[in-house]
Amino acid sequence: MELKWLLLFIPIGMGLSWFEANPIIVFIASALAIIPLAKLLGDATEELARSLGSTKSGLLNSTMGTVPDIIIGFFALQHGLIDMVKASITGALIGNLLFGLGLSILVGGLKTRNELKFDRNNIHLYSGLLLLATVSLIIPATFEHTVKSDVEISLLISIVLITMYLISLLFTLTNKVTLPDYLIPIDQSISEKNSPIKTNPLIVLLFVGIGLAVMSEIMTDSIGPTANSLGFSSLFAGIFLLAPVGMVSELINSIRFARQNQLDMSLAITMGSSTQIALLVAPLLVFFGLATGQHMDLLFSKFEVIAIVLSVVTVNHILHLGSVHWISGPKLIAIYLILGIAFFNIP
């Protein structure tokens, strides 16, 4: 799907912000501008990875995919939106696992009219790492702490999560794990004229990074007033406004592969993104909070933890047979909508 026309919303969003337009309109314009920037980031990373081996290029692609989430989270922290940042982490986790995967299964199943099959071995690593991330969220939420101890415990847990992330990278490199095709520049043999990036990918990455920083600053500056105008709590706004912005590009790719009856790739996108959010983005935002004087921690609300646990357990249950029917898609989406109703009604 061509998304480059959405780049028009960069000057539109900047202009609306400059003239202090309605924050809802500013938020929508800046969010729409971030979507093609995230897509360009992926294209430039893929081009840059062509000279690497398949495993290294796959790791580069998957890691760079978290950059928009990190940038958005950083600027949200700069605005003091700590609860919203934590909610966006929850939203990215349950959004990818329930809505992203559910919609992919539904669309792929209806397209192929057949049972969708996948290799269970490809998701075992993701499942294990997601369970680890779930444990890391349950522990802080189980006990009562002071604000100081919350930050200290979160910092220690973040160090463990980052370490486990690095170990998983080492495991992938040293054991030559076969990465999902979507993480690997499939067209490594294509000519330069067919490449999605026509110029130096490093230059593209530089300008995309600047664009993401500018539009993320505008979006996070407007999301607070937007949430207030719509009557949304910080929790609901973080999960269902902030988090989906970073998910759109991945959602499009996941659905595209599912329509081609390549559910392995859709699973790698949705579960892989959730793993990156839990083991890389969340700990980095804790470190950013410490560096900027914001009390960012991993003390999520009990309902957020319950939602994440239910999402991980449900997805693991649905995928345990190695195949799914299209009806599993609406089931996951229904759980996502039920959680949305519950989050909306939390004071």
Side-chain angles (χ1 to χ4, degrees):
M1 182 182 295
E2 187 60 55
L3 298 175
K4 291 182 179 179
W5 67 272
L6 290 176
L7 291 172
L8 291 173
F9 282 97
I10 295 178
I12 292 174
M14 294 174 67
L16 291 171
S17 176
W18 176 266
F19 289 105
E20 299 182 350
N22 186 303
I24 298 177
I25 300 176
V26 175
F27 173 80
I28 293 173
S30 56
L32 289 174
I34 288 174
I35 293 171
L37 288 172
K39 180 65 167 59
L40 281 174
L41 180 73
D43 291 342
T45 303
E46 179 177 317
E47 182 66 24
L48 188 64
R50 291 184 189 281
S51 60
L52 303 175
S54 61
T55 300
K56 292 180 180 178
S57 63
L59 292 175
L60 177 63
N61 281 355
S62 61
T63 302
M64 290 296 289
T66 65
V67 170
D69 300 285
I70 294 172
I71 293 176
I72 293 172
F74 174 76
F75 281 104
L77 280 179
Q78 289 288 83
H79 285 84
L81 303 173
I82 299 173
D83 290 337
M84 202 174 289
V85 170
K86 290 193 285 187
S88 71
I89 294 172
T90 300
L93 287 170
I94 68 174
N96 278 307
L97 292 177
L98 297 179
F99 185 75
L101 180 57
L103 191 58
S104 298
I105 292 174
L106 173 61
V107 173
L110 292 178
K111 172 68 175 180
T112 62
R113 300 290 183 178
N114 294 316
E115 187 178 32
L116 297 171
K117 299 183 182 296
F118 56 90
D119 186 352
R120 284 183 294 176
N121 293 327
N122 288 339
I123 66 170
H124 282 171
L125 179 61
Y126 294 127
S127 297
L129 293 175
L130 284 174
L131 287 174
L132 168 65
T134 302
V135 170
S136 71
L137 299 180
I138 291 175
I139 297 303
T142 304
F143 303 99
E144 295 293 338
H145 310 289
T146 65
V147 174
K148 180 179 179 181
S149 63
D150 284 339
V151 176
E152 291 175 347
I153 291 172
S154 299
L155 184 60
L156 293 174
I157 291 176
S158 296
I159 293 173
V160 173
L161 292 178
I162 287 285
T163 302
M164 191 61 222
Y165 176 75
L166 295 175
I167 291 174
S168 68
L169 292 184
L170 179 63
F171 174 81
T172 303
L173 290 171
T174 57
N175 288 273
K176 297 183 179 179
V177 174
T178 301
L179 292 172
D181 291 345
Y182 96 95
L183 293 176
I184 301 171
I186 300 173
D187 303 324
Q188 288 185 0
S189 61
I190 66 173
S191 62
E192 286 294 324
K193 66 179 180 179
N194 293 325
S195 173
I197 298 295
K198 305 298 184 182
T199 187
N200 190 320
L202 289 176
I203 297 177
V204 175
L205 286 175
L206 174 62
F207 282 100
V208 168
I210 295 173
L212 282 171
V214 172
M215 300 315 298
S216 296
E217 169 74 11
I218 294 173
M219 185 181 72
T220 54
D221 188 48
S222 64
I223 191 172
T226 297
N228 291 331
S229 298
L230 297 175
F232 294 163
S233 65
S234 295
L235 183 62
F236 185 84
I239 295 175
F240 296 98
L241 287 184
L242 196 58
V245 175
M247 289 170 43
V248 174
S249 179
E250 294 157 342
L251 177 64
I252 292 172
N253 285 330
S254 178
I255 293 173
R256 176 164 61 90
F257 286 121
R259 284 174 56 84
Q260 298 170 1
N261 198 17
Q262 300 182 60
L263 190 60
D264 280 299
M265 298 184 188
S266 296
L267 287 170
I269 293 173
T270 52
M271 298 186 72
S273 296
S274 296
T275 301
Q276 296 271 344
I277 292 292
L279 299 188
L280 181 62
V281 176
L284 284 179
L285 291 177
V286 171
F287 297 146
F288 285 153
L290 181 65
T292 57
Q294 301 288 346
H295 292 287
M296 175 64 186
D297 56 49
L298 297 179
L299 183 61
F300 290 70
S301 68
K302 288 182 172 59
F303 194 72
E304 286 179 278
V305 174
I306 290 172
I308 293 172
V309 171
L310 288 176
S311 301
V312 173
V313 171
T314 301
V315 169
N316 284 340
H317 173 72
I318 286 179
L319 300 178
H320 80 284
L321 292 178
S323 63
V324 291
H325 291 280
W326 67 264
I327 190 61
S328 295
K331 291 178 183 178
L332 293 175
I333 295 173
I335 295 174
Y336 182 74
L337 295 176
I338 291 171
L339 290 175
I341 294 170
F343 276 116
F344 180 77
N345 287 282
I346 291 178

